[in-house]
PDB file of all heavy atoms in Angstrom:
ATOM      1  N   GLY A   1       0.818  -1.182  -0.049  1.00 90.00           N
ATOM      2  CA  GLY A   1      -0.057   0.028   0.020  1.00 90.00           C
ATOM      3  C   GLY A   1       0.867   1.315  -0.045  1.00 90.00           C
ATOM      4  O   GLY A   1       0.535   2.198  -0.583  1.00 90.00           O
ATOM      5  N   PHE A   2       2.006   1.221   0.733  1.00 89.00           N
ATOM      6  CA  PHE A   2       2.916   2.348   0.750  1.00 89.00           C
ATOM      7  C   PHE A   2       3.403   2.521  -0.579  1.00 89.00           C
ATOM      8  O   PHE A   2       3.507   3.710  -1.161  1.00 89.00           O
ATOM      9  CB  PHE A   2       3.883   2.104   1.794  1.00 89.00           C
ATOM     10  CG  PHE A   2       5.023   3.191   1.833  1.00 89.00           C
ATOM     11  CD1 PHE A   2       4.711   4.506   2.433  1.00 89.00           C
ATOM     12  CD2 PHE A   2       6.262   2.936   1.199  1.00 89.00           C
ATOM     13  CE1 PHE A   2       5.722   5.465   2.452  1.00 89.00           C
ATOM     14  CE2 PHE A   2       7.185   3.982   1.206  1.00 89.00           C
ATOM     15  CZ  PHE A   2       6.969   5.215   1.809  1.00 89.00           C
ATOM     16  N   PHE A   3       3.896   1.539  -1.420  1.00 89.00           N
ATOM     17  CA  PHE A   3       4.502   1.679  -2.643  1.00 89.00           C
ATOM     18  C   PHE A   3       3.445   2.019  -3.623  1.00 89.00           C
ATOM     19  O   PHE A   3       3.757   2.494  -4.842  1.00 89.00           O
ATOM     20  CB  PHE A   3       5.163   0.418  -3.009  1.00 89.00           C
ATOM     21  CG  PHE A   3       6.447   0.077  -2.392  1.00 89.00           C
ATOM     22  CD1 PHE A   3       6.579  -0.942  -1.441  1.00 89.00           C
ATOM     23  CD2 PHE A   3       7.597   0.871  -2.524  1.00 89.00           C
ATOM     24  CE1 PHE A   3       7.741  -1.204  -0.697  1.00 89.00           C
ATOM     25  CE2 PHE A   3       8.768   0.678  -1.802  1.00 89.00           C
ATOM     26  CZ  PHE A   3       8.852  -0.332  -0.994  1.00 89.00           C
ATOM     27  N   ALA A   4       2.124   1.844  -3.417  1.00 87.00           N
ATOM     28  CA  ALA A   4       1.145   2.306  -4.316  1.00 87.00           C
ATOM     29  C   ALA A   4       0.674   3.755  -4.208  1.00 87.00           C
ATOM     30  O   ALA A   4      -0.082   4.200  -5.055  1.00 87.00           O
ATOM     31  CB  ALA A   4      -0.130   1.331  -4.094  1.00 87.00           C
ATOM     32  N   LEU A   5       1.191   4.477  -3.231  1.00 87.00           N
ATOM     33  CA  LEU A   5       1.024   5.888  -3.177  1.00 87.00           C
ATOM     34  C   LEU A   5       1.502   6.528  -4.235  1.00 87.00           C
ATOM     35  O   LEU A   5       2.593   6.173  -4.773  1.00 87.00           O
ATOM     36  CB  LEU A   5       1.566   6.359  -1.771  1.00 87.00           C
ATOM     37  CG  LEU A   5       1.008   5.844  -0.446  1.00 87.00           C
ATOM     38  CD1 LEU A   5       1.638   6.349   0.715  1.00 87.00           C
ATOM     39  CD2 LEU A   5      -0.551   6.368  -0.328  1.00 87.00           C
ATOM     40  N   GLU A   6       0.859   7.660  -4.610  1.00 85.00           N
ATOM     41  CA  GLU A   6       1.510   8.550  -5.714  1.00 85.00           C
ATOM     42  C   GLU A   6       2.229   9.710  -5.061  1.00 85.00           C
ATOM     43  O   GLU A   6       1.895  10.242  -4.152  1.00 85.00           O
ATOM     44  CB  GLU A   6       0.373   9.120  -6.587  1.00 85.00           C
ATOM     45  CG  GLU A   6      -0.342   8.141  -7.432  1.00 85.00           C
ATOM     46  CD  GLU A   6      -1.384   8.787  -8.380  1.00 85.00           C
ATOM     47  OE1 GLU A   6      -1.575   9.908  -8.192  1.00 85.00           O
ATOM     48  OE2 GLU A   6      -1.940   8.012  -9.281  1.00 85.00           O
ATOM     49  N   THR A   7       3.439   9.856  -5.633  1.00 78.00           N
ATOM     50  CA  THR A   7       4.285  11.003  -5.234  1.00 78.00           C
ATOM     51  C   THR A   7       3.822  12.401  -5.917  1.00 78.00           C
ATOM     52  O   THR A   7       3.553  12.326  -7.110  1.00 78.00           O
ATOM     53  CB  THR A   7       5.737  10.821  -5.611  1.00 78.00           C
ATOM     54  OG1 THR A   7       6.110   9.424  -5.104  1.00 78.00           O
ATOM     55  CG2 THR A   7       6.704  11.820  -5.028  1.00 78.00           C
ATOM     56  N   THR A   8       3.747  13.290  -5.198  1.00 75.00           N
ATOM     57  CA  THR A   8       3.397  14.729  -5.626  1.00 75.00           C
ATOM     58  C   THR A   8       4.348  15.736  -5.189  1.00 75.00           C
ATOM     59  O   THR A   8       4.951  15.547  -4.102  1.00 75.00           O
ATOM     60  CB  THR A   8       1.962  15.022  -5.229  1.00 75.00           C
ATOM     61  OG1 THR A   8       1.556  16.303  -5.697  1.00 75.00           O
ATOM     62  CG2 THR A   8       1.800  15.055  -3.768  1.00 75.00           C
ATOM     63  N   THR A   9       4.591  16.789  -5.971  1.00 67.00           N
ATOM     64  CA  THR A   9       5.389  17.837  -5.655  1.00 67.00           C
ATOM     65  C   THR A   9       4.587  19.062  -5.365  1.00 67.00           C
ATOM     66  O   THR A   9       3.788  19.478  -6.213  1.00 67.00           O
ATOM     67  CB  THR A   9       6.477  18.088  -6.691  1.00 67.00           C
ATOM     68  OG1 THR A   9       7.241  16.794  -6.906  1.00 67.00           O
ATOM     69  CG2 THR A   9       7.472  19.153  -6.287  1.00 67.00           C
ATOM     70  N   THR A  10       4.798  19.829  -4.189  1.00 61.00           N
ATOM     71  CA  THR A  10       4.103  20.931  -3.963  1.00 61.00           C
ATOM     72  C   THR A  10       5.270  22.159  -3.611  1.00 61.00           C
ATOM     73  O   THR A  10       6.417  21.770  -3.706  1.00 61.00           O
ATOM     74  CB  THR A  10       3.142  20.781  -2.772  1.00 61.00           C
ATOM     75  OG1 THR A  10       3.945  20.446  -1.586  1.00 61.00           O
ATOM     76  CG2 THR A  10       2.149  19.734  -3.082  1.00 61.00           C
ATOM     77  N   ALA A  11       4.724  23.171  -3.232  1.00 57.00           N
ATOM     78  CA  ALA A  11       5.672  24.277  -2.914  1.00 57.00           C
ATOM     79  C   ALA A  11       6.471  23.960  -1.737  1.00 57.00           C
ATOM     80  O   ALA A  11       7.550  24.465  -1.491  1.00 57.00           O
ATOM     81  CB  ALA A  11       4.866  25.543  -2.771  1.00 57.00           C
ATOM     82  N   THR A  12       5.829  23.163  -0.805  1.00 59.00           N
ATOM     83  CA  THR A  12       6.572  22.779   0.484  1.00 59.00           C
ATOM     84  C   THR A  12       7.493  21.480   0.359  1.00 59.00           C
ATOM     85  O   THR A  12       8.128  21.101   1.313  1.00 59.00           O
ATOM     86  CB  THR A  12       5.562  22.600   1.556  1.00 59.00           C
ATOM     87  OG1 THR A  12       4.612  21.605   1.143  1.00 59.00           O
ATOM     88  CG2 THR A  12       4.840  23.852   1.858  1.00 59.00           C
ATOM     89  N   GLY A  13       7.516  20.966  -0.820  1.00 58.00           N
ATOM     90  CA  GLY A  13       8.317  19.694  -1.078  1.00 58.00           C
ATOM     91  C   GLY A  13       7.464  18.644  -1.562  1.00 58.00           C
ATOM     92  O   GLY A  13       6.324  18.756  -1.975  1.00 58.00           O
ATOM     93  N   ASP A  14       8.135  17.440  -1.639  1.00 64.00           N
ATOM     94  CA  ASP A  14       7.442  16.157  -1.999  1.00 64.00           C
ATOM     95  C   ASP A  14       6.596  15.672  -1.024  1.00 64.00           C
ATOM     96  O   ASP A  14       6.868  15.759   0.152  1.00 64.00           O
ATOM     97  CB  ASP A  14       8.508  15.103  -2.448  1.00 64.00           C
ATOM     98  CG  ASP A  14       9.361  15.553  -3.669  1.00 64.00           C
ATOM     99  OD1 ASP A  14       8.872  16.414  -4.464  1.00 64.00           O
ATOM    100  OD2 ASP A  14      10.550  15.077  -3.754  1.00 64.00           O
ATOM    101  N   GLY A  15       5.482  15.094  -1.581  1.00 71.00           N
ATOM    102  CA  GLY A  15       4.418  14.462  -0.582  1.00 71.00           C
ATOM    103  C   GLY A  15       3.820  13.159  -1.274  1.00 71.00           C
ATOM    104  O   GLY A  15       4.207  12.835  -2.344  1.00 71.00           O
ATOM    105  N   TYR A  16       2.841  12.513  -0.656  1.00 77.00           N
ATOM    106  CA  TYR A  16       2.239  11.389  -1.105  1.00 77.00           C
ATOM    107  C   TYR A  16       0.761  11.598  -1.181  1.00 77.00           C
ATOM    108  O   TYR A  16       0.261  12.243  -0.320  1.00 77.00           O
ATOM    109  CB  TYR A  16       2.606  10.212  -0.287  1.00 77.00           C
ATOM    110  CG  TYR A  16       4.028   9.813  -0.242  1.00 77.00           C
ATOM    111  CD1 TYR A  16       4.842  10.302   0.805  1.00 77.00           C
ATOM    112  CD2 TYR A  16       4.624   8.950  -1.224  1.00 77.00           C
ATOM    113  CE1 TYR A  16       6.255   9.937   0.727  1.00 77.00           C
ATOM    114  CE2 TYR A  16       6.063   8.677  -1.284  1.00 77.00           C
ATOM    115  CZ  TYR A  16       6.773   9.160  -0.267  1.00 77.00           C
ATOM    116  OH  TYR A  16       8.191   8.919  -0.194  1.00 77.00           O
ATOM    117  N   VAL A  17       0.113  10.886  -2.199  1.00 81.00           N
ATOM    118  CA  VAL A  17      -1.266  11.115  -2.398  1.00 81.00           C
ATOM    119  C   VAL A  17      -1.830   9.643  -2.395  1.00 81.00           C
ATOM    120  O   VAL A  17      -1.295   8.834  -2.927  1.00 81.00           O
ATOM    121  CB  VAL A  17      -1.612  11.651  -3.700  1.00 81.00           C
ATOM    122  CG1 VAL A  17      -3.118  11.719  -3.871  1.00 81.00           C
ATOM    123  CG2 VAL A  17      -1.113  13.157  -3.675  1.00 81.00           C
ATOM    124  N   MET A  18      -2.973   9.522  -1.601  1.00 83.00           N
ATOM    125  CA  MET A  18      -3.573   8.227  -1.524  1.00 83.00           C
ATOM    126  C   MET A  18      -4.225   7.889  -2.769  1.00 83.00           C
ATOM    127  O   MET A  18      -4.828   8.681  -3.448  1.00 83.00           O
ATOM    128  CB  MET A  18      -4.631   8.157  -0.353  1.00 83.00           C
ATOM    129  CG  MET A  18      -5.191   6.846  -0.192  1.00 83.00           C
ATOM    130  SD  MET A  18      -4.150   5.781   0.875  1.00 83.00           S
ATOM    131  CE  MET A  18      -4.374   6.617   2.397  1.00 83.00           C
ATOM    132  N   THR A  19      -4.028   6.573  -3.284  1.00 87.00           N
ATOM    133  CA  THR A  19      -4.712   6.064  -4.414  1.00 87.00           C
ATOM    134  C   THR A  19      -5.728   5.139  -4.054  1.00 87.00           C
ATOM    135  O   THR A  19      -5.766   4.609  -2.899  1.00 87.00           O
ATOM    136  CB  THR A  19      -3.677   5.498  -5.386  1.00 87.00           C
ATOM    137  OG1 THR A  19      -3.114   4.228  -4.751  1.00 87.00           O
ATOM    138  CG2 THR A  19      -2.583   6.399  -5.818  1.00 87.00           C
ATOM    139  N   PRO A  20      -6.695   4.770  -4.950  1.00 88.00           N
ATOM    140  CA  PRO A  20      -7.607   3.719  -4.706  1.00 88.00           C
ATOM    141  C   PRO A  20      -7.081   2.419  -4.189  1.00 88.00           C
ATOM    142  O   PRO A  20      -7.414   1.825  -3.268  1.00 88.00           O
ATOM    143  CB  PRO A  20      -8.464   3.528  -5.894  1.00 88.00           C
ATOM    144  CG  PRO A  20      -8.348   4.967  -6.596  1.00 88.00           C
ATOM    145  CD  PRO A  20      -6.934   5.361  -6.323  1.00 88.00           C
ATOM    146  N   LEU A  21      -6.018   1.988  -4.953  1.00 91.00           N
ATOM    147  CA  LEU A  21      -5.297   0.747  -4.565  1.00 91.00           C
ATOM    148  C   LEU A  21      -4.670   0.733  -3.262  1.00 91.00           C
ATOM    149  O   LEU A  21      -4.677  -0.141  -2.367  1.00 91.00           O
ATOM    150  CB  LEU A  21      -4.236   0.421  -5.634  1.00 91.00           C
ATOM    151  CG  LEU A  21      -3.438  -0.816  -5.381  1.00 91.00           C
ATOM    152  CD1 LEU A  21      -4.356  -2.103  -5.232  1.00 91.00           C
ATOM    153  CD2 LEU A  21      -2.338  -1.029  -6.581  1.00 91.00           C
ATOM    154  N   SER A  22      -3.843   1.842  -2.949  1.00 91.00           N
ATOM    155  CA  SER A  22      -3.314   2.082  -1.602  1.00 91.00           C
ATOM    156  C   SER A  22      -4.314   1.998  -0.402  1.00 91.00           C
ATOM    157  O   SER A  22      -4.113   1.445   0.588  1.00 91.00           O
ATOM    158  CB  SER A  22      -2.318   3.294  -1.589  1.00 91.00           C
ATOM    159  OG  SER A  22      -3.105   4.372  -1.883  1.00 91.00           O
ATOM    160  N   GLY A  23      -5.382   2.722  -0.751  1.00 91.00           N
ATOM    161  CA  GLY A  23      -6.444   2.888   0.213  1.00 91.00           C
ATOM    162  C   GLY A  23      -7.034   1.423   0.484  1.00 91.00           C
ATOM    163  O   GLY A  23      -7.293   1.121   1.755  1.00 91.00           O
ATOM    164  N   ILE A  24      -7.293   0.720  -0.517  1.00 93.00           N
ATOM    165  CA  ILE A  24      -7.828  -0.665  -0.283  1.00 93.00           C
ATOM    166  C   ILE A  24      -6.794  -1.519   0.516  1.00 93.00           C
ATOM    167  O   ILE A  24      -7.181  -2.231   1.495  1.00 93.00           O
ATOM    168  CB  ILE A  24      -8.216  -1.395  -1.695  1.00 93.00           C
ATOM    169  CG1 ILE A  24      -9.398  -0.603  -2.316  1.00 93.00           C
ATOM    170  CG2 ILE A  24      -8.458  -2.812  -1.412  1.00 93.00           C
ATOM    171  CD1 ILE A  24      -9.660  -1.042  -3.731  1.00 93.00           C
ATOM    172  N   LEU A  25      -5.559  -1.488   0.225  1.00 94.00           N
ATOM    173  CA  LEU A  25      -4.511  -2.198   0.919  1.00 94.00           C
ATOM    174  C   LEU A  25      -4.431  -1.761   2.311  1.00 94.00           C
ATOM    175  O   LEU A  25      -4.217  -2.708   3.213  1.00 94.00           O
ATOM    176  CB  LEU A  25      -3.190  -2.053   0.216  1.00 94.00           C
ATOM    177  CG  LEU A  25      -3.100  -2.739  -1.230  1.00 94.00           C
ATOM    178  CD1 LEU A  25      -1.836  -2.304  -1.968  1.00 94.00           C
ATOM    179  CD2 LEU A  25      -3.220  -4.239  -1.132  1.00 94.00           C
ATOM    180  N   PHE A  26      -4.474  -0.500   2.562  1.00 93.00           N
ATOM    181  CA  PHE A  26      -4.414  -0.059   4.019  1.00 93.00           C
ATOM    182  C   PHE A  26      -5.464  -0.488   4.754  1.00 93.00           C
ATOM    183  O   PHE A  26      -5.375  -0.814   5.967  1.00 93.00           O
ATOM    184  CB  PHE A  26      -4.205   1.482   4.047  1.00 93.00           C
ATOM    185  CG  PHE A  26      -2.950   2.040   3.654  1.00 93.00           C
ATOM    186  CD1 PHE A  26      -2.759   3.190   2.867  1.00 93.00           C
ATOM    187  CD2 PHE A  26      -1.719   1.301   3.950  1.00 93.00           C
ATOM    188  CE1 PHE A  26      -1.577   3.609   2.531  1.00 93.00           C
ATOM    189  CE2 PHE A  26      -0.524   1.766   3.609  1.00 93.00           C
ATOM    190  CZ  PHE A  26      -0.323   3.024   2.869  1.00 93.00           C
ATOM    191  N   VAL A  27      -6.743  -0.540   4.154  1.00 94.00           N
ATOM    192  CA  VAL A  27      -7.987  -0.957   4.801  1.00 94.00           C
ATOM    193  C   VAL A  27      -7.766  -2.450   5.167  1.00 94.00           C
ATOM    194  O   VAL A  27      -8.035  -3.027   6.215  1.00 94.00           O
ATOM    195  CB  VAL A  27      -9.189  -0.752   4.016  1.00 94.00           C
ATOM    196  CG1 VAL A  27     -10.418  -1.519   4.744  1.00 94.00           C
ATOM    197  CG2 VAL A  27      -9.479   0.740   4.059  1.00 94.00           C
ATOM    198  N   LEU A  28      -7.371  -3.235   4.263  1.00 96.00           N
ATOM    199  CA  LEU A  28      -7.100  -4.753   4.361  1.00 96.00           C
ATOM    200  C   LEU A  28      -6.095  -4.920   5.421  1.00 96.00           C
ATOM    201  O   LEU A  28      -6.232  -5.866   6.213  1.00 96.00           O
ATOM    202  CB  LEU A  28      -6.662  -5.371   3.100  1.00 96.00           C
ATOM    203  CG  LEU A  28      -7.786  -5.399   1.942  1.00 96.00           C
ATOM    204  CD1 LEU A  28      -7.123  -5.979   0.640  1.00 96.00           C
ATOM    205  CD2 LEU A  28      -8.925  -6.341   2.460  1.00 96.00           C
TER     206      LEU A  28
END
């Protein structure tokens, strides 16, 4: 689930965005 997160770049630096797959894996 962690590896399924999407990386995003903002003004404050890099971050992660939840994807449907990562959300399902975290719930499981």
Side-chain angles (χ1 to χ4, degrees):
F2 175 78
F3 287 113
L5 293 171
E6 287 185 354
T7 304
T8 181
T9 302
T10 63
T12 57
D14 293 336
Y16 295 96
V17 176
M18 186 81 71
T19 64
L21 177 59
S22 62
I24 291 172
L25 289 171
F26 285 142
V27 168
L28 288 175

